[in-house]
Amino acid sequence: SAPQSMIINEFNPFTVGNLDGDAFLNGNSNPIFNMSSRGPSPCTQDSSLKIKPTVCAPGTDILSSIPGNKYAKMTGTSMASPHIAGVYALLKQIYPNKSVSELKKTIAYSAIDLGPTGKDNSYGYGLINAYQAAKYLDDNKAPEKINDLSVISAKTNSVTIKWTTPIDSSYLNVYSYDLRISNQPINENNFFIADKIEIHKPKKIGTVDTFTINTLEPNKTYYIAMKSSDMWNNISEISNIVSFTTN
């Protein structure tokens, strides 16, 4: 029978094209598989909804399971669709409060545009991109400023400092620290000029953390400051500045 009018809106149903991933990585400018289903869709009379597929994903020569506890390379949109499901699952883990509709739109809007500029009937919005999809929903908020950086003890060649892991709203919370030390006062303008000290990964939010800096020179005054960043490299303001003099 003739196809039924099942298109409800731009993302329902959410259709997937089969792209040759190896061809794309090797620079092929038109990597859509030749048997991948294309639009315009006959399932609606609304011309604005006829674009098919919604997005595309690798679906050519994909290693998959087959009967007999074996694996084999297979091709088709049935191989491309699990990539979409995987990206959706990742997004749902990072943004559990986002709706199905919001996550579908995110997958589409963050795709790599291929073929003619904009949506088209070979690639839809383009090739899915898990990283860009996750970043698309980021709130762009940096971790809170560290306000309680302090010196526990200063010795002849070392200093031990402490601070509290700041609050951050991203999925992994505070992801990294940037610790700087200098013999000159540190401020926002010269922070990145000061010497960088490699430091461990941040601990759980609210944890009082400590770190010891070694190989310092005796009888010298030093200044220390920190910044923190989240998984998307949103960088906090500079912390309070502390100074000390080695023995």
Side-chain angles (χ1 to χ4, degrees):
S1 61
Q4 301 301 302
S5 181
M6 295 295 292
I7 295 180
I8 299 172
N9 57 49
E10 186 177 15
F11 300 106
N12 190 7
F14 196 93
T15 56
V16 183
N18 166 16
L19 176 148
D20 187 332
D22 286 340
F24 172 76
L25 293 175
N26 288 323
N28 189 320
S29 61
N30 186 33
I32 195 72
F33 187 67
N34 59 7
M35 295 182 66
S36 181
S37 182
R38 294 167 170 78
S41 172
C43 296
T44 180
Q45 298 303 311
D46 185 342
S47 59
S48 68
L49 299 178
K50 283 183 172 291
I51 293 290
K52 177 186 178 182
T54 310
V55 292
C56 58
T60 303
D61 289 335
I62 303 300
L63 193 65
S64 183
S65 56
I66 60 174
N69 294 321
K70 297 179 181 180
Y71 293 92
K73 288 185 176 181
M74 303 180 71
T75 294
T77 51
S78 294
M79 299 294 104
S81 295
H83 288 81
I84 310 299
V87 172
Y88 180 91
L90 289 172
L91 293 179
K92 194 64 176 175
Q93 181 181 19
I94 299 172
Y95 305 103
N97 296 322
K98 295 294 184 182
S99 68
V100 172
S101 177
E102 287 177 301
L103 295 182
K104 283 182 175 181
K105 290 178 181 178
T106 297
I107 292 172
Y109 293 163
S110 61
I112 301 169
D113 188 24
L114 296 175
T117 301
K119 295 186 294 181
D120 63 80
N121 283 308
S122 291
Y123 298 96
Y125 276 92
L127 171 63
I128 60 167
N129 186 317
Y131 176 84
Q132 290 299 332
K135 187 166 177 53
Y136 184 89
L137 290 172
D138 176 45
D139 59 12
N140 294 313
K141 291 182 180 179
E144 292 187 1
K145 172 183 175 180
I146 296 172
N147 287 307
D148 63 346
L149 181 64
S150 62
V151 172
I152 296 176
S153 64
K155 299 180 180 180
T156 303
N157 301 109
S158 67
V159 64
T160 300
I161 58 175
K162 73 173 183 177
W163 68 95
T164 302
T165 306
I167 295 172
D168 182 69
S169 59
S170 64
Y171 174 62
L172 294 177
N173 303 136
V174 180
Y175 185 72
S176 65
Y177 289 127
D178 190 342
L179 175 62
R180 302 282 173 154
I181 188 169
S182 175
N183 295 122
Q184 301 297 322
I186 300 175
N187 56 46
E188 192 72 56
N189 294 326
N190 65 13
F191 178 84
F192 293 108
I193 299 175
D195 292 332
K196 185 174 183 177
I197 304 294
E198 294 300 323
I199 186 173
H200 56 258
K201 287 287 188 180
K203 297 180 180 179
K204 185 178 179 181
I205 289 175
T207 301
V208 176
D209 206 347
T210 63
F211 184 73
T212 298
I213 304 172
N214 296 301
T215 67
L216 302 180
E217 296 181 27
N219 302 311
K220 286 227 174 169
T221 298
Y222 291 91
Y223 298 83
I224 294 177
M226 296 178 68
K227 291 189 176 192
S228 56
S229 60
D230 63 16
M231 63 188 292
W232 307 117
N233 203 34
N234 294 309
I235 303 173
S236 73
E237 297 178 45
I238 190 172
S239 68
N240 60 299
I241 316 301
V242 296
S243 64
F244 64 93
T245 302
T246 52
N247 298 329

